[in-house]
């Protein structure tokens, strides 16, 4: 090692994965070729996605996914002199020609081996691709690289006899891309991509502003498809124990996220990593997340925020502009904005609040777009909502909901020891004939229309 290697050892250095890969190779089975052939049989357009700078366990020098090229060329890392146990320090620096040439060689091999309809450059695994502080001057190298990818795709279009698209998964906020060296506007202007997928690093953000993307790209933005992506879990707010307050995406959350994106003008829906929630993945793969299907309840619309990279602790990562609304103390006046897409024609509506600890709610007033709830109930298993310790559900009429942005106003007595709200979501469930069982106790308690390319 080099002094900082193996600071954090993994429990299993990929033995299970390696044995399975070897078993397939020994039998002459190429799973990607099998999947592509099966896609063709089922009239599904096969694309291949390549992680452009995967940094999983780069702080573990011997980890099986760290290539010999990476180990033998520390001078090509973003921070060669680093001794921190921080993955992105040891990511490749794309300003180095050797780095770009090595990745282009891998891309050429993929195009040669597989007859695909499109190729995705996944810049969100991982998004730190240039030396700290040199992202602006280094953007030209990544643009040059994207031009090479487009040239490879055009070469193979002629050989295969059909179009081959190029897409890129990038930061959810348009401006953040150029800050980190991804000049997406230039890519579009030069015709280097057919689609862009605004995405978070490890979160399903329910408030990706697609209209801002269109506005920022201008007239040239209509040349590309905007296909936002969600991850397999949602986090409402940054916390030290980020992994533990992450809520796995269920089908109602997937539908809620898709409904938000369709209303905002998405050209398609992209599920990233959802196969880790296997039961949900099977269901979503079967039904799709079309505009019509996503409109139907049940749907969940939680507050979320735009994360960048929970693994990096990078000084250049703007921890102050993630636009998080939570956590917020349940004291004085609180206002929370929740995006909920187009509201369904018929549904039961509820607002769920998860708190960091139990609270006496007798003097709390809750309004949804200025309208008081009809009833409330305490929710069992509050920990399912972002590791909350206490949760309450408020029931409203459908008339209280607006298309798009909804505003929740909460009034509570001043209290410096007030618990924090760490989760908030607006839900649409299938309409019931009977009303909720718990009435208010007193007046003071007022509480593209198709699956993804991939």
């Amino acid at each position: 090692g080099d002094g900082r290697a193996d600071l954090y050892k993994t429990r299993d250095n990929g033995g299970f994965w390696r044995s399975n890969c070897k078993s397939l190779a020994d039998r002459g089975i190429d799973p990607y070729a099998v999947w592509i052939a099966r896609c063709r049989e089922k009239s599904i357009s096969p694309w291949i996605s390549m992680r452009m700078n995967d940094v999983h366990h780069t702080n573990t020098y011997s980890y099986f996914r760290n290539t010999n090229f990476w180990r033998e060329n520390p001078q090509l890392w973003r921070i060669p002199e680093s001794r921190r146990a921080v993955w992105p320090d040891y990511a490749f620096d794309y300003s180095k020609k050797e780095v770009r040439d090595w990745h282009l060689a891998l891309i050429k091999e993929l195009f040669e081996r597989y007859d695909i309809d499109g190729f995705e450059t996944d810049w969100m695994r991982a998004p730190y691709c240039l030396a700290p502080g040199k992202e602006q001057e280094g953007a030209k190298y990544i643009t040059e690289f994207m031009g090479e990818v487009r040239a490879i795709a055009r070469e193979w279009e002629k050989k295969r006899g059909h179009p081959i698209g190029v897409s890129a998964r990038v930061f959810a906020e348009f401006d953040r891309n150029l800050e980190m060296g991804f000049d997406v506007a230039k890519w579009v202007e030069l015709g280097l991509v057919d689609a862009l997928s605004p995405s978070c690093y490890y979160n399903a953000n329910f408030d990706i502003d697609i209209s801002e993307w269109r506005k920022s790209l201008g007239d040239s933005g209509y040349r590309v498809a905007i296909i936002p992506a969600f991850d397999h879990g949602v986090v409402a707010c940054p916390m030290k124990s980020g992994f533990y307050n992450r809520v796995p995406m269920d089908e109602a959350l997937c539908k809620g996220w898709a409904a938000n994106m369709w209303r905002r003008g998405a050209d398609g829906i992209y599920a990233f990593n959802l196969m880790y929630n296997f039961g949900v993945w099977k269901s979503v793969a079967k039904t799709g997340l079309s505009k019509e299907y996503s409109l139907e309840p049940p749907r969940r619309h939680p507050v979320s925020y735009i994360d960048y990279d929970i693994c990096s602790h990078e000084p250049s990562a703007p921890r102050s502009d993630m636009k998080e609304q939570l956590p917020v103390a349940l004291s004085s006046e609180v206002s929370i904005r929740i995006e909920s897409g187009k509201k369904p024609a018929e549904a039961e509506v509820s607002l769920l609040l998860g708190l960091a600890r139990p609270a006496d709610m007798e003097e709390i007033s809750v309004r949804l777009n200025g309208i008081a709830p009809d009833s409330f109930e305490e929710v069992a298993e509050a920990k399912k909502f972002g590791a909350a310790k206490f949760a309450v559900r408020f029931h409203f009429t459908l008339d209280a909901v607006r298309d798009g942005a909804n505003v929740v106003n909460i009034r509570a007595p001043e209290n410096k020891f007030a618990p924090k709200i760490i989760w908030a979501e607006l839900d649409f469930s299938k309409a019931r004939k009977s009303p909720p069982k718990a009435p208010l106790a007193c007046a003071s308690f007022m509480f593209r229309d198709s699956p993804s390319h991939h």
Side-chain angles (χ1 to χ4, degrees):
D2 61 358
R4 58 90 211 161
D6 301 316
L7 287 171
Y8 291 132
K9 288 185 177 292
T10 54
R11 286 180 294 176
D12 174 19
N13 192 15
F16 186 71
W17 288 12
R18 284 179 289 137
S19 62
N20 279 344
C21 286
K22 186 175 186 305
S23 178
L24 288 169
D26 289 346
R27 299 177 189 186
I29 299 172
D30 183 336
Y32 303 100
V34 172
W35 293 331
I36 288 169
R38 187 65 167 169
C39 283
R40 296 286 185 205
E41 288 178 17
K42 296 295 183 179
S43 299
I44 297 172
S45 179
W47 286 54
I48 275 185
S49 175
M50 176 174 162
R51 295 185 171 191
M52 304 314 301
N53 213 355
D54 201 325
V55 293
H56 277 83
H57 303 290
T58 50
N59 58 298
T60 303
Y61 194 75
S62 60
Y63 190 63
F64 79 106
R65 278 195 282 176
N66 293 328
T67 65
N68 288 337
F69 180 77
W70 175 84
R71 293 190 185 95
E72 294 164 3
N73 292 280
Q75 76 280 4
L76 301 180
W77 300 344
R78 290 179 65 244
I79 312 177
E81 69 279 7
S82 178
R83 294 296 180 267
R84 301 189 306 167
V86 177
W87 294 356
D89 284 10
Y90 312 105
F92 283 117
D93 180 352
Y94 268 77
S95 71
K96 308 293 178 59
K97 186 176 185 301
E98 301 96 316
V99 169
R100 301 194 301 276
D101 288 346
W102 188 72
H103 284 91
L104 285 170
L106 294 175
I107 292 171
K108 289 175 181 177
E109 180 181 341
L110 290 172
F111 271 87
E112 184 174 351
R113 290 180 66 169
Y114 305 115
D115 181 6
I116 53 177
D117 287 351
F119 183 82
E120 178 189 68
T121 54
D122 183 354
W123 295 104
M124 292 304 290
R125 282 299 186 274
Y128 297 95
C129 295
L130 296 162
K134 296 184 178 180
E135 293 88 356
Q136 299 298 300
E137 61 185 90
K140 61 185 178 183
Y141 297 112
I142 295 182
T143 298
E144 176 187 317
F145 181 90
M146 291 299 295
E148 295 281 358
V149 175
R150 173 60 97 186
I152 294 169
R154 284 177 174 157
E155 175 189 348
W156 280 96
E157 281 182 334
K158 297 175 183 177
K159 294 180 180 180
R160 301 291 188 194
H162 62 75
I164 300 177
V166 175
S167 68
R169 195 166 78 98
V170 292
F171 283 105
E173 284 191 302
F174 182 86
D175 290 343
R176 178 61 173 159
N177 286 286
L178 187 54
E179 289 175 14
M180 295 305 295
F182 307 131
D183 193 349
V184 292
K186 180 64 71 173
W187 300 354
V188 173
E189 178 188 337
L190 296 176
L192 306 184
V193 290
D194 301 293
L196 292 166
S197 292
S199 177
C200 289
Y201 180 81
Y202 197 59
N203 198 8
N205 183 265
F206 280 66
D207 198 15
I208 297 175
D209 193 347
I210 297 169
S211 62
E212 182 63 27
W213 275 81
R214 296 292 187 198
K215 179 181 176 182
S216 299
L217 289 171
D219 293 339
S220 61
Y222 291 93
R223 302 175 192 167
V224 297
I226 304 297
I227 305 173
F230 68 91
D231 212 301
H232 71 302
V234 57
V235 183
C237 56
M239 294 175 67
K240 289 183 179 179
S241 55
F243 282 100
Y244 301 102
N245 69 315
R246 193 168 191 261
V247 174
M249 294 288 281
D250 59 20
E251 189 169 1
L253 285 168
C254 292
K255 291 171 69 176
W257 185 90
N260 284 9
M261 297 303 110
W262 287 127
R263 183 183 178 277
R264 290 195 141 186
D267 294 308
I269 298 298
Y270 184 153
F272 182 85
N273 265 347
L274 192 59
M275 67 282 181
Y276 285 112
N277 307 8
F278 189 65
V280 178
W281 167 245
K282 285 180 65 179
S283 178
V284 168
K286 182 178 181 180
T287 60
L289 289 170
S290 68
K291 291 180 183 178
E292 290 77 14
Y293 182 70
S294 300
L295 187 62
E296 300 171 5
R299 281 162 43 188
R300 297 173 61 189
H301 299 266
V303 168
S304 57
Y305 74 101
I306 294 179
D307 73 335
Y308 290 122
D309 182 345
I310 62 170
C311 300
S312 75
H313 310 293
E314 182 78 24
S316 61
R319 297 286 158 179
S320 61
D321 67 353
M322 290 175 159
K323 298 185 177 179
E324 66 267 21
Q325 299 187 74
L326 304 176
V328 62
L330 186 61
S331 179
S332 188
E333 295 193 11
V334 175
S335 180
I336 301 172
R337 175 180 170 277
I338 303 179
E339 279 283 330
S340 66
K342 183 179 179 180
K343 69 179 184 180
E346 194 174 69
E348 296 285 346
V349 179
S350 64
L351 167 73
L352 185 137
L353 297 179
L355 308 183
R357 59 182 173 82
D360 180 3
M361 308 295 289
E362 287 300 318
E363 298 181 7
I364 305 298
S365 169
V366 176
R367 296 287 188 276
L368 174 61
N369 299 318
I371 298 175
D374 292 336
S375 58
F376 77 95
E377 58 189 330
E378 184 177 342
V379 177
E381 296 189 87
K383 64 182 180 181
K384 290 183 177 180
F385 303 97
K389 302 297 183 183
F390 178 77
V392 180
R393 189 180 296 278
F394 304 88
H395 297 276
F396 293 85
T397 63
L398 188 58
D399 290 339
V401 181
R402 300 171 182 166
D403 287 347
N406 294 267
V407 178
V408 176
N409 290 307
I410 305 169
R411 300 179 69 180
E414 287 280 0
N415 183 353
K416 65 179 180 179
F417 301 109
K420 290 183 176 179
I421 301 173
I422 62 173
W423 186 270
E425 70 173 68
L426 192 60
D427 293 356
F428 299 116
S429 58
K430 292 184 178 180
R432 297 181 291 182
K433 293 182 180 180
S434 57
K437 60 183 178 181
L440 284 172
C442 59
S444 65
F445 184 78
M446 295 186 208
F447 246 53
R448 168 190 255 166
D449 193 2
S450 63
S452 158
H453 277 306
H454 306 277

